[in-house]
Amino acid sequence: MRIAVVHGPNLNLLGVREPEVYGTATLDDVNRALSGLGDELGAVVEPFQSNSQGAILDFLAEARGRIDGVVVNPAGLGHTSVALLDGLLAAGKPFVEVHLSNPASREGFRRHSHLTPAAVGVVAGFGMDSYLAGFRCLVGHLIRQHNQDPGGSPPGNG
Ligand code: DQA
């Protein structure tokens, strides 16, 4: 099973960017923790970060044939981008939306996400643990999906 983990704009600055909101863990810390959890759960993690929406869309289009699902922290793009929603739908794989902070408890413009209606689920407000919980839940979802449709392509061979 292979899971893409997409980090949106400004998440390259994790650890130094508003640590009181986003915590002190760096992006490398997050990716390392995910990769450790992936080893435990038997899933390969493929992390990708960009500050450019186009690069994220190109990555999703290019990776769609080899991945089984996506954990995505869309960052600001979640609030603004129909194109990112379309890119995820075009990739055609289940995705879980994650946020370090709890956007629903912040400014009004953060309360809406274009991605949420199409996500399998959303985990927000737990810092790095949002990613880990979202990843674990997505792996469980993919396994259940496969067990319900054993004739479909097994996770990892899609
Ligand atoms: C964020 C929340 C968004 O509102 C914000 O634009 C981000 C990070 C989070 O992880 O809490 O960049 O997605």
Side-chain angles (χ1 to χ4, degrees):
M1 189 187 301
R2 178 177 280 265
I3 310 282
V5 179
V6 174
H7 308 278
N10 303 308
L11 293 171
N12 56 316
L13 294 176
L14 269 190
V16 291
R17 171 193 181 206
E18 299 177 84
E20 66 289 356
V21 178
Y22 298 116
T24 52
T26 65
L27 192 61
D28 278 351
D29 293 335
V30 173
N31 286 334
R32 248 193 312 272
L34 283 166
S35 158
L37 181 59
D39 289 347
E40 210 179 285
L41 301 178
V44 174
V45 177
E46 186 167 337
F48 182 82
Q49 192 279 329
S50 181
N51 293 330
S52 149
Q53 172 171 270
I56 294 173
L57 299 183
D58 289 345
F59 169 75
L60 288 169
E62 182 268 324
R64 64 189 291 280
R66 65 174 180 271
I67 58 172
D68 300 296
V70 182
V71 172
V72 56
N73 183 345
L77 293 176
H79 311 304
T80 61
S81 177
V82 174
L84 178 57
L85 169 65
D86 286 344
L88 286 159
L89 293 175
K93 307 294 167 165
F95 71 89
V96 170
E97 178 179 351
V98 301
H99 298 277
L100 297 141
S101 68
N102 175 6
S105 72
R106 300 177 61 194
E107 304 96 318
F109 60 83
R110 296 186 200 275
R111 296 205 181 116
H112 177 262
S113 163
H114 289 291
L115 272 49
T116 300
V120 178
V122 181
V123 185
F126 297 101
M128 178 157 80
D129 283 348
S130 293
Y131 280 93
L132 297 173
F135 184 84
R136 193 181 277 280
C137 291
L138 179 59
V139 169
H141 172 82
L142 291 169
I143 291 170
R144 275 193 305 280
Q145 207 177 45
H146 173 62
N147 289 343
Q148 276 160 21
D149 179 17
S153 53
N157 289 1

